[in-house]
Amino acid sequence: PQQPPGLAPAPEWAPPRPSSSGRPAVLLLGIDGADWKVIDALFGAGYLPNLARLVQHGARAVLDCTPAMPETACFCPPVWVTIATGVPYERHHISTLHQEVGDRGAAAIWDVLNAKGGTTTLVSFRNTWPPEAAARYVLTEYGLDWASGMIYERLPVEKPLLREMMAKDRFRPPDLLEQLGLLPHEGEKTPAWKSVARDRVAMEALLRLAQRDRTDLTVMLIHGPDKAQHLGWAAVQKTPESPFDAQAVLKQARAWQGPVLARPGAPGTNVASQYLETDAWLGELLAKVPYDYIVVASDHGMTRNPGPGLPGQHGVESPEGHHGVFILWGPGVLEGTTLEGTDVFDVAPTLAALLGLPVAEDLSGDVLLQAFTPEWRDAHRVERVPTWEP
């Protein structure tokens, strides 16, 4: 798509460079709540040039997220942990936001990579606290919540004790944000909605870290789109019976003038804004850091809440919101391909194949080989092992 008037053109991406580790550099970008309805509306008007480039030169799919834990219908933690492990809740046992690494009953893709001598960076991913022992760098959600409170005035305002609790044992290495020059923060704190503040600290941290040190796998989760859609979905779908209003999304996009700091519901925190900010940051990252393969996934979409509560919903009573996005880009991926029958179980084995890792036979999904050229499949024969578990 062409860039709309008034928007800066997408930057050129960094050219590939040889890997010292012998493995490709793989980025798994999770966008919480990302929905094809919104993305396609913005694509059609020329917005989201970086995500559009991934789709145009890669494969896309509607990602069925329900099987991770059908009884909760796409509550975020079990779906993200299924994406990382390739198995359902019954095996990984993570169902709530505050469960810890020790509660997880299944190996994640970074455990398998670490056992084979590979390296991982984890940024703001669900249920990776205390910092994952199998990853070289970890910026946990709790740590980023605390750090964003050091840099921004987080809204709604939190009690200082909560921020202090968030500060303990939340990064690997513990002084990572000091090494990256993000802390200590000097000067005034700009007010920011807490979800936006956390995402921005996470984005800046990864941008600085990835230029300093390359890991084989980078896993980054951006939370803002989900939070903005929960609060602002009524603007793009007035009632549960109403159709999705693509023109309302485009109106929001036309009013966007770049990242702003605002309260929920104000300009800059509507549905379109968080997609636009994510894409702009992705373009900045890819202009400076080369990745061989990029996978984009979401844990659900969004639809109008039929009952009381937040306008946007993806619960049991809202099956239209149970499908997320999936994009796969890199050498050997069939350009412009639409994959059918793709679900959350297929992400982890596909990541394993990209990283040259064995794929466990007891996983619930499999490698999305239909996304690749015959030449790639011939050159990357998938090794099978009975299990990833110790």
Side-chain angles (χ1 to χ4, degrees):
Q2 298 297 311
Q3 279 288 93
L7 287 184
E12 287 299 314
W13 292 356
R17 63 188 180 204
S19 164
S20 59
S21 73
R23 297 185 190 275
V26 178
L27 170 65
L28 170 60
L29 177 62
I31 306 177
D32 204 326
D35 191 303
W36 279 122
K37 296 190 296 293
V38 179
I39 292 174
D40 284 334
L42 293 168
F43 278 179
Y47 294 94
L48 310 184
N50 296 290
L51 287 172
R53 181 173 172 181
L54 294 177
V55 170
Q56 289 170 343
H57 298 287
R60 66 178 279 170
V62 173
L63 195 67
D64 186 359
C65 301
T66 310
M69 191 178 181
E71 57 267 37
T72 67
C74 304
F75 183 53
C76 300
V79 178
W80 286 119
V81 178
T82 287
I83 284 173
T85 62
V87 300
Y89 161 76
E90 288 77 14
R91 286 184 58 186
H92 65 61
H93 309 311
I94 299 295
S95 62
T96 68
L97 293 168
H98 302 298
Q99 286 179 270
E100 302 176 7
V101 169
D103 298 322
R104 195 176 68 228
I109 183 67
W110 47 83
D111 293 308
V112 184
L113 180 59
N114 181 63
K116 295 291 185 179
T119 55
T120 300
T121 296
L122 295 173
V123 182
S124 202
F125 201 75
R126 292 288 193 202
N127 304 98
T128 54
W129 179 84
E132 287 270 0
R136 175 180 289 179
Y137 301 109
V138 186
L139 292 157
T140 69
E141 287 185 273
Y142 291 158
L144 289 164
D145 276 334
W146 168 78
S148 63
M150 300 294 101
I151 298 170
Y152 294 100
E153 179 189 341
R154 282 165 54 100
L155 302 173
V157 177
E158 297 162 319
K159 295 180 180 179
L161 178 60
L162 178 60
R163 291 182 182 169
E164 292 168 9
M165 292 171 62
M166 290 176 176
K168 185 180 179 182
D169 193 24
R170 296 306 198 259
F171 305 115
R172 169 165 293 115
D175 64 343
L176 182 54
L177 289 186
E178 284 81 2
Q179 291 183 32
L180 297 175
L182 285 167
L183 291 179
H185 174 72
E186 297 180 358
E188 295 184 5
K189 296 180 182 180
T190 306
W193 179 28
K194 62 181 182 179
S195 293
V196 172
R198 177 175 62 185
D199 279 352
R200 287 175 180 166
V201 174
M203 290 173 178
E204 183 60 29
L206 179 56
L207 185 63
R208 298 185 186 192
L209 175 59
Q211 294 177 82
R212 190 184 77 169
D213 189 19
R214 172 201 186 279
T215 54
D216 302 311
L217 174 64
T218 299
V219 181
M220 166 77 169
L221 181 52
I222 295 174
H223 300 268
D226 174 72
K227 306 303 181 289
Q229 289 176 151
H230 274 300
L231 291 164
W233 196 256
V236 299
Q237 187 180 7
K238 295 187 182 302
T239 70
E241 295 75 28
S242 303
F244 173 75
D245 188 351
Q247 292 305 311
V249 173
L250 296 181
K251 182 178 179 181
Q252 294 177 351
R254 287 191 292 270
W256 191 73
Q257 297 179 348
V260 297
L261 301 167
R263 296 176 182 272
T269 58
N270 56 38
V271 170
S273 69
Q274 298 309 296
Y275 288 85
L276 295 166
E277 184 165 343
T278 297
D279 189 82
W281 168 79
L282 179 62
E284 185 178 5
L285 176 71
L286 298 182
K288 298 175 180 177
V289 181
Y291 291 96
D292 298 291
Y293 292 97
I294 299 173
V295 176
V296 179
S298 70
D299 52 340
H300 53 76
M302 195 69 67
T303 190
R304 189 71 162 89
N305 188 357
L310 297 173
Q313 189 54 272
H314 50 84
V316 177
E317 69 281 8
S318 306
E320 302 88 349
H322 296 179
H323 297 92
V325 307
F326 180 82
I327 304 170
L328 173 61
W329 174 91
V333 177
L334 290 165
E335 294 193 8
T337 302
T338 298
L339 307 175
E340 303 293 339
T342 306
D343 65 32
V344 283
F345 297 129
D346 299 323
V347 180
T350 300
L351 289 171
L354 296 176
L355 291 161
L357 300 173
V359 175
E361 294 174 341
D362 64 348
L363 297 180
S364 299
D366 206 348
V367 182
L368 294 169
L369 290 174
Q370 65 271 33
F372 297 93
T373 64
E375 293 78 13
W376 190 95
R377 296 196 295 268
D378 289 341
H380 299 79
R381 296 291 182 179
V382 177
E383 177 189 356
R384 305 285 178 174
V385 294
T387 185
W388 280 349
E389 306 310 325

